[in-house]
Amino acid sequence: MNCTKCGTPYKINDAVCIKCGHILFDPKSSTVALRIDPNLVRLRRQRTETGVLSPERTVTLLIRGIAERFIFEEGTEIILGRTDLLSDSPSHFDLTRYGGHDRGVSRKHAVLRFKDGVMLVTDLNSSNGTVLNGTRLPSNEPHPLKDNDELRLGTLPMVIRYDEMPGMVTQIVKT
């Protein structure tokens, strides 16, 4: 048998092509949960005309007691949902391991986007909705996120935490 993407021969028990990394099974007849490590997937960095790096924001999602950390750069986004093996988007975070399927998370449920220095969440017309601090969000409308906001996709809750931005100085004021 040969890889459908690059044509490299493979053995029947191989899950991934050794040459191109393509998944070697038919996703229509199989079910697999994949976890993409956000530390390995660096969202594309955009450079200005002067070659200066764009601003970035480090975000931690606290999901069922586990912290998942992402580094967003200006203009980048990540889709929150369950992995869709028919999609080849590297910027997709799979919530299946947190009970996403049982808790009503859609394959493409919501998107987190860092734009103009603001972190935004947009519901992607999900079946079971996205709730921000107790208020259901209308589909396809971006909403800003603040530190410690509670986001619920279907019935899967998570808390948004911002790490300090590089170069920021924290002042302690004594009264």
Side-chain angles (χ1 to χ4, degrees), residues 56-76:
E56 61 182 36
R57 170 62 96 179
T58 301
V59 177
T60 301
L61 299 179
L62 296 175
I63 311 167
R64 300 188 76 188
I66 299 174
E68 295 285 355
R69 192 168 177 219
F70 300 88
I71 299 173
F72 286 85
E73 296 167 352
E74 182 64 38
T76 59

Side-chain angles (χ1 to χ4, degrees), residues 2-56:
N2 293 334
C3 173
T4 57
K5 188 170 184 181
C6 71
T8 301
Y10 68 90
K11 298 174 189 163
I12 194 141
N13 293 333
D14 291 344
V16 178
C17 176
I18 59 172
K19 182 176 181 182
C20 70
H22 184 69
I23 297 174
L24 298 173
F25 65 92
D26 182 7
K28 293 175 188 164
S29 63
S30 300
T31 303
V32 172
L34 298 177
R35 182 177 186 283
I36 300 170
D37 184 349
N39 294 319
L40 298 176
V41 179
R42 179 78 178 196
L43 301 176
R44 291 184 190 241
R45 183 180 293 257
Q46 296 179 351
R47 295 181 183 267
T48 63
E49 291 177 5
T50 61
V52 177
L53 298 177
S54 298
E56 61 182 36

Side-chain angles (χ1 to χ4, degrees), residues 130-160:
T130 301
V131 176
L132 176 61
N133 298 323
T135 303
R136 186 173 176 134
L137 301 179
S139 296
N140 302 312
E141 290 184 21
H143 294 273
L145 291 172
K146 299 181 302 276
D147 191 35
N148 290 317
D149 274 351
E150 184 178 321
L151 191 61
R152 195 172 70 234
L153 280 56
T155 61
L156 179 65
M158 60 188 73
V159 176
I160 309 296

